[in-house]
Amino acid sequence: MLDRPGPPRPGEADGLVGRDEELALIRSFVDGAATVGGTLLLTGEPGVGKTVLLDFAARTAEAAGSLVLRSAGVEFEADVTYSGLHQILLPLGGEFGLLGAGQRSALSVALGFGVGPAPNRLQVSEAALALLRRAADRQPLVMIVDDLQWLDRASAGVLGFVSRRLADSGVCFLGAARLGTESHFDRKDLPEHELRPLGEEAATDLVRSRFPTLVAGDRVRLVAEAQGNPLALLELAGYEASGPQAAAGSAAPVAGPPVGRLETLFASRVNELPAPTRRLALRLALDATGDPRILQSTGPGEPGPSDLEPAERSGLIRIDGNPRRIVFGHPLIRSAVVKDSTGGERRHAHRALAQLLADQPERRAWHLAEASIEPDEQVASLLNEVAQLVLGRGDVVGAVATLLRAAELSPHGPDRSRRLARAAYIGAEAAGDLRSTPRLLAAAHAAAPGSNESLRATTAASYMLLSGEGDIDTAHRLLVGAIEAFSVRDDADDRVLNEAFATLLLVCFFGGRAELWDPFHAAVADFACDRLVSLCASTACDPVRTAAAVLEELDCMIHGSDEEVDPARLVRLAQTALHVDRLAGLRKALWRVARDGRQGGAVASGIHALILLSHEDFMTGRWDDAQRLVDEGLQLCQDHGYGLGALPGRYVKALLAAGRGDFDTAAAVTHDLERYAAPRGLGVARMYVAHARALAALGRGDYEAAYQQTTAISPAGVFASRVAMALRVPMDLVEAAVRSNRQAEADAHVAAMCATGMAVLSPRLALLVAGSAAMAASDSTATALFEEALATPGADRWAFELARVRLAYGEHLRRARAISAARVQLSAARDAFQRMGARPWATRAENELRATGQKRSHGGEVGPGALTSREREIAMLAVSGLSNKQIGERLRLSARTVGAHLRNVFQKLGIASRAALRDALDPRPCEPPDEAGSRGRHKS
């Protein structure tokens, strides 16, 4: 435990007294590194023996031929981004070449080894996991991290991700954490073993083995005082046996719990050291690296390497050989050194560290900040630069913390105001810290009264008003006024202008009123706006009139989304894609953002990603997945105070309830939406309400109500300018008009759909145009139009709309007495509705089937499980690319028989073409596996 003369350190003997169970557990765990891998956490109070067991694990692993990577959280460096991860991965620097270019870049940028695009937390986590796995292919790895509770937030997030994905990896993660201490490291659901205090018998054996000359009475008293804490027991016994008080016959003080007494004892031992050694020990205590450079003298009269020797001889500090690092005998010694120092001594040590670590900008800036007792613009500027560096490494939370410290040290009000406003915006827009925004903005205003109308502060204030309170009109007025007053010369950083435009864009969209867009477009014409913001404005404002060139550029951005690492930009790209049905190409990117948010990275962006994914899942018929995602997103909105962010999620929730026939829930959600939207001027929320109520009305067969709701979004025969929601309900309006005897209105809307050319925007809209035309057509032309609709390329992806077209087609065929053909369409529609849980629609299709004379279906006879062995065999051959004739030749069947089997397959799977067979036979999961999972080497 400690390098002290006399008795051996615990863990260096053959075994630890009273820890046979733990020793066996660790041996077994470490022995599994080569073949199994996994995670184990040791928890307990300070001094109970966690560090000693980690030392034992390290020696055991090294003896077995494993590579040991060690790190420890340090209380005084918790603000340095990725400091803990840097420590543990530094020995693997030569292995970075084993990674692909993207992962190598993400990890190098995060750890400060290279430059490149800012990675998000998930990318760094995946890259770290891949590095460890690849290195373990050469040699088993054992990662040991002490004091998990003091890891910096970014490192804790990455190691939390890694520790859950080490099964069958050849990598073991062994960590230790204090009980009852708050931590950024998420221990939930990880295997833990709590170290309990030693029993009386084991404690007595420990004292007797280490201090055999101690009299029995003193031994009994010490065992009682130490309360089973091994470190306290040894230190108290050592104090009595060898301290200066032994000669005088005095005893160690008995007051206080063991941990407090330990710190007192350690402090007394530190105070016995020479003054230069104490100054050197304080310098080491305030640094997390253990870098031997810290021993160097910073000038005449300053301590140097030789001054470490007294601390080594006392066992308080030691130098580890591989890698060469300086470590304290126990974390409590580090704490005691710092607590026993004065403020002036600590500031002097921080200044020395800043001088010695001049090649590490982030550490240097933080040490200078800790050395400052008054505002200092030079230090504040350094921190401001570090904030941008940290943001570039993907740590938005760390960037906010650094900006706040820079603001504290800013002597000039305008500088302090600017830094506070920047922190407020980053915190609200990406980090999920919306509730702190008003306080930061108030501080920014107080720092520089009269400058609160600056664009940066106004953007942050508007984002807060929009996302929290949903105050559209105030946010719009503030932003437009600030943009009009803005001069590029006032701020050399044009990011603030792009942030302002992006926020104003959201204000205009959620406001849902045409007049809000005029100032936006006027401002965009006056300034060079970010291209993605311009594209988003095109689709969010008026998607039906989006130019083909805009779509082409958007498709290129979506194609390159794997290279985009800014979560806020990925969300903005997805919002752009949403209105023209292109979210499918962004699922992988959105899952990256969502998982990063779950890890505590860009939380706000993660919320938006979850809700966007739920929207796409609803549109494509994966309703169970959509429900899970939207519930998670809405809970996070509630946890973080994102009132407006919940709006699209509540919209999806209302659509799901309406589609499933849960009309009470749909009514409750839409009522809440309406009540929230009315006083805030949230026009888009009124359209959300109208769409959900229209869908519920169609499910109930109340076509009059459905017509009133759909035309409240945009009138029949018109696609109103700057009303993106009009593209959500065109077929709803036509069906409601036809069934409420408004044939002229239905025809007018179909004509408007064709006139806009919306069918070229996406396969979904092409299906809706063709399906609406068929629904409104006379009986003589309807059949051909329905067949044309079903033949729409890519229609299979939009399961709900396709099933509705099939239902309408089946109803038409039944009326035309084409009974066999009607059954094919009605069965396919019913089966698709049943898979989604669209109960009213499935019931309607079932009733139509019964009207054809077909008996009621038995539940569950749909989907891949309903296929016969012959049907599955033929389906799999069709997926492989064989024609009907080739399948027939292989199975000795006629091509006609193969075709008949495939028609049955299509009917049971609810699809219309071979192109959809693969996905229908092997439905996609809600969340795609990560890179390691796809290799089959871990279990989440």
Side-chain angles (χ1 to χ4, degrees):
M1 187 174 297
L2 297 174
D3 273 325
R4 302 187 64 184
R9 289 186 342 194
E12 292 184 348
D14 293 336
L16 295 175
V17 176
R19 296 300 187 199
D20 291 347
E21 177 187 354
E22 284 78 11
L23 292 172
L25 173 66
I26 288 176
R27 284 193 191 98
S28 174
F29 178 73
V30 172
D31 287 346
T35 55
V36 181
T39 294
L40 176 64
L41 302 183
L42 303 178
T43 60
E45 65 178 12
V48 79
K50 301 185 297 298
T51 301
V52 174
L53 286 170
L54 295 184
D55 290 341
F56 171 79
R59 292 193 301 275
T60 303
E62 288 170 346
S66 295
L67 175 63
V68 176
L69 306 175
R70 293 201 71 166
S71 179
V74 176
E75 185 176 6
F76 314 107
E77 283 214 353
D79 290 322
V80 180
T81 297
Y82 289 125
S83 58
L85 189 67
H86 188 282
Q87 280 188 59
I88 204 162
L89 295 185
L90 187 60
L92 297 181
E95 309 288 333
F96 277 35
L98 298 174
L99 298 175
Q103 290 186 328
R104 185 168 62 248
S105 173
L107 203 54
S108 296
V109 170
L111 298 182
F113 296 152
V115 295
N120 61 39
R121 180 88 47 87
L122 180 62
Q123 289 173 303
V124 178
S125 300
E126 291 175 337
L129 179 62
L131 177 68
L132 292 165
R133 285 177 171 273
R134 284 165 173 73
D137 289 339
R138 301 184 179 185
Q139 181 182 12
L141 294 182
V142 176
M143 290 190 295
I144 298 177
V145 183
D146 204 354
D147 286 319
L148 285 167
Q149 74 278 357
W150 287 332
L151 279 178
D152 63 279
R153 183 190 298 269
S155 297
V158 171
L159 292 177
F161 175 94
V162 167
S163 64
R164 288 168 167 77
R165 292 163 172 81
L166 295 180
D168 303 320
S169 67
V171 181
C172 283
F173 179 89
L174 183 62
R178 292 186 183 182
L179 286 175
T181 305
E182 291 187 4
S183 171
H184 297 308
F185 184 85
D186 182 10
R187 292 168 18 202
K188 183 179 179 183
D189 299 328
L190 289 175
E192 285 192 20
H193 179 84
E194 181 181 345
L195 264 65
R196 308 291 299 174
L198 294 176
E200 182 178 348
E201 181 179 353
T204 302
D205 289 344
L206 177 60
V207 177
R208 183 183 291 116
S209 66
R210 301 294 190 267
F211 301 95
T213 61
L214 202 64
V215 298
D218 288 341
R219 187 166 55 241
V220 170
R221 174 175 52 79
L222 290 172
V223 167
E225 290 173 5
Q227 301 174 26
N229 186 298
L231 181 62
L233 193 60
L234 294 176
E235 288 298 324
L236 289 170
Y239 183 86
E240 291 206 4
S242 60
Q245 78 291 342
S250 61
V254 297
V259 173
R261 299 184 65 193
L262 278 170
E263 288 189 333
T264 300
L265 287 171
F266 284 139
S268 69
R269 290 174 58 193
V270 170
N271 285 330
E272 294 171 4
L273 298 173
T277 304
R278 292 199 305 272
R279 289 159 63 188
L280 201 60
L282 178 58
R283 192 188 296 176
L284 291 165
L286 296 174
D287 171 74
T289 64
D291 190 334
R293 289 183 303 167
I294 294 169
L295 300 178
Q296 298 302 314
S297 175
T298 57
E302 292 297 314
S306 62
D307 292 306
L308 185 66
E309 293 176 6
E312 289 185 278
R313 286 195 299 269
S314 72
L316 295 171
I317 296 173
R318 68 179 186 270
I319 298 179
D320 278 354
N322 186 25
R324 185 173 170 79
R325 292 177 63 246
I326 306 165
V327 297
F328 284 89
H330 193 276
L332 282 175
I333 302 173
R334 183 192 296 269
S335 300
V337 168
V338 176
K339 289 181 179 178
D340 202 48
S341 63
T342 67
E345 289 170 338
R346 287 193 294 274
R347 287 191 294 274
H348 184 85
H350 279 299
R351 281 192 291 271
L353 287 168
Q355 182 178 341
L356 292 166
L357 299 175
D359 61 332
Q360 299 181 35
E362 187 175 355
R363 279 196 164 90
R364 176 172 178 262
W366 277 109
H367 283 303
L368 287 173
E370 292 302 310
S372 302
I373 57 176
E374 294 181 350
D376 185 321
E377 179 55 30
Q378 183 179 2
V379 178
S381 295
L382 286 174
L383 284 170
N384 195 62
E385 293 172 7
V386 166
Q388 188 57 38
L389 179 68
V390 170
L391 197 61
R393 290 160 63 186
D395 184 10
V396 293
V397 177
V400 171
T402 308
L403 281 167
L404 293 179
R405 184 62 175 134
E408 289 177 9
L409 291 173
S410 301
H412 307 299
D415 293 329
R416 187 159 60 253
S417 177
R418 185 176 68 254
R419 288 158 183 162
L420 285 168
R422 176 74 173 152
Y425 181 78
I426 295 174
E429 197 260 354
D433 193 18
L434 191 66
R435 292 190 172 113
S436 296
T437 306
R439 173 178 55 81
L440 295 179
L441 290 174
H445 173 60
S451 66
N452 62 316
E453 294 301 318
S454 71
L455 190 57
R456 191 184 299 276
T458 302
T459 299
S462 299
Y463 193 94
M464 181 267 295
L465 287 169
L466 176 68
S467 298
E469 296 299 321
D471 189 341
I472 291 292
D473 291 332
T474 302
H476 189 269
R477 175 178 55 79
L478 288 174
L479 274 171
V480 170
I483 290 173
E484 289 176 349
F486 179 77
S487 167
V488 176
R489 293 187 301 274
D490 293 338
D491 196 327
D493 184 1
D494 61 0
R495 287 172 303 180
V496 64
L497 188 61
N498 288 327
E499 291 165 357
F501 277 128
T503 305
L504 182 56
L505 171 61
L506 289 175
V507 171
C508 294
F509 172 75
F510 281 107
R513 304 194 301 274
E515 65 272 15
L516 295 176
W517 286 99
D518 291 328
F520 175 87
H521 291 300
V524 169
D526 290 338
F527 292 95
C529 179
D530 178 70
R531 188 57 187 155
L532 178 55
V533 174
S534 296
L535 291 179
C536 191
S538 296
T539 64
C541 176
D542 214 355
V544 74
R545 296 168 180 86
T546 298
V550 168
L551 295 180
E552 183 178 346
E553 189 173 357
L554 175 59
D555 288 336
C556 287
M557 284 191 176
I558 292 172
H559 182 71
S561 61
D562 285 347
E563 303 300 320
E564 177 59 66
V565 295
D566 183 344
R569 284 184 65 83
L570 281 170
V571 166
R572 195 168 299 146
L573 180 59
Q575 291 166 338
T576 306
L578 169 67
H579 304 292
V580 285
D581 302 321
R582 280 160 166 76
L583 275 182
L586 289 165
R587 283 188 69 85
K588 182 179 177 182
L590 285 173
W591 270 117
R592 284 205 324 263
V593 175
R595 290 195 293 261
D596 178 57
R598 285 171 172 172
Q599 281 189 270
V603 175
S605 298
I607 292 172
H608 296 316
L610 287 169
I611 292 175
L612 284 161
L613 285 164
S614 75
H615 191 109
E616 210 256 342
D617 281 344
F618 172 79
M619 299 287 287
T620 53
R622 297 188 293 268
W623 287 8
D624 289 342
D625 295 345
Q627 190 71 61
R628 284 191 292 271
L629 291 172
V630 78
D631 287 346
E632 180 182 356
L634 288 174
Q635 183 61 54
L636 287 169
C637 286
Q638 181 176 331
D639 293 344
H640 293 275
Y642 280 82
L644 191 75
L647 222 60
R650 291 156 77 182
Y651 168 47
V652 173
K653 185 174 181 178
L655 291 177
L656 285 165
R660 286 174 158 165
D662 185 358
F663 299 129
D664 289 343
T665 297
V669 174
T670 54
H671 175 73
D672 289 343
L673 271 173
E674 196 170 47
R675 186 174 56 185
Y676 179 84
R680 294 171 171 85
L682 291 164
V684 77
R686 291 195 295 272
M687 297 179 200
Y688 287 164
V689 167
H691 184 191
R693 286 176 174 170
L695 188 61
L698 288 171
R700 292 193 306 268
D702 186 350
Y703 300 110
E704 179 64 31
Y707 181 80
Q708 297 302 327
Q709 293 295 337
T710 54
T711 53
I713 295 173
S714 190
V718 176
F719 282 88
S721 178
R722 302 176 177 180
V723 180
M725 284 294 297
L727 291 192
R728 292 283 166 227
V729 295
M731 192 168 74
D732 298 1
L733 192 156
V734 170
E735 182 178 4
V738 168
R739 292 178 180 273
S740 62
N741 299 313
R742 291 181 171 88
Q743 188 63 45
E745 288 84 349
D747 291 340
H749 210 59
V750 170
M753 294 166 74
C754 295
T756 62
M758 69 171 62
V760 303
L761 296 181
S762 75
R764 183 187 74 91
L765 290 170
L767 172 65
L768 296 190
V769 171
S772 297
M775 289 180 185
S778 63
D779 287 346
S780 61
T781 59
T783 298
L785 291 173
F786 273 118
E787 289 291 340
E788 180 182 335
L790 295 180
T792 301
D796 296 275
R797 178 170 180 77
W798 311 99
F800 184 52
E801 275 100 344
L802 179 62
R804 288 176 58 188
V805 172
R806 287 189 179 282
L807 174 58
Y809 188 16
E811 291 170 332
H812 160 72
L813 290 171
R814 186 185 65 78
R815 290 193 303 270
R817 301 191 181 281
I819 301 301
S820 296
R823 286 175 177 170
V824 171
Q825 299 301 329
L826 293 170
S827 296
R830 176 203 61 201
D831 295 346
F833 290 136
Q834 286 177 341
R835 281 195 298 274
M836 286 178 273
R839 288 184 291 273
W841 306 85
T843 299
R844 181 170 143 192
E846 184 70 49
N847 290 339
E848 286 289 326
L849 277 169
R850 294 178 67 191
T852 68
Q854 181 168 306
K855 294 181 180 179
R856 180 181 296 273
S857 67
H858 297 287
E861 295 181 359
V862 296
L867 301 181
T868 65
S869 59
R870 175 64 84 182
E871 288 169 347
R872 174 167 285 278
E873 183 179 24
I874 289 173
M876 296 307 295
L877 290 172
V879 166
S880 72
L882 297 182
S883 66
N884 286 8
K885 181 179 179 182
Q886 291 170 322
I887 296 171
E889 290 172 351
R890 178 171 296 193
L891 300 180
R892 298 184 179 180
L893 299 172
S894 69
R896 179 174 296 181
T897 301
V898 171
H901 277 299
L902 281 175
R903 284 192 293 275
N904 290 336
V905 169
F906 291 173
Q907 177 178 328
K908 289 180 179 180
L909 297 181
I911 59 176
S913 69
R914 286 172 177 252
L917 259 178
R918 185 182 302 275
D919 286 343
L921 290 169
D922 184 19
R924 290 166 294 173
C926 171
E927 178 175 353
D930 60 27
E931 181 184 1
S934 66
R935 294 196 306 270
R937 291 194 57 182
H938 84 264
K939 299 175 184 177
S940 298

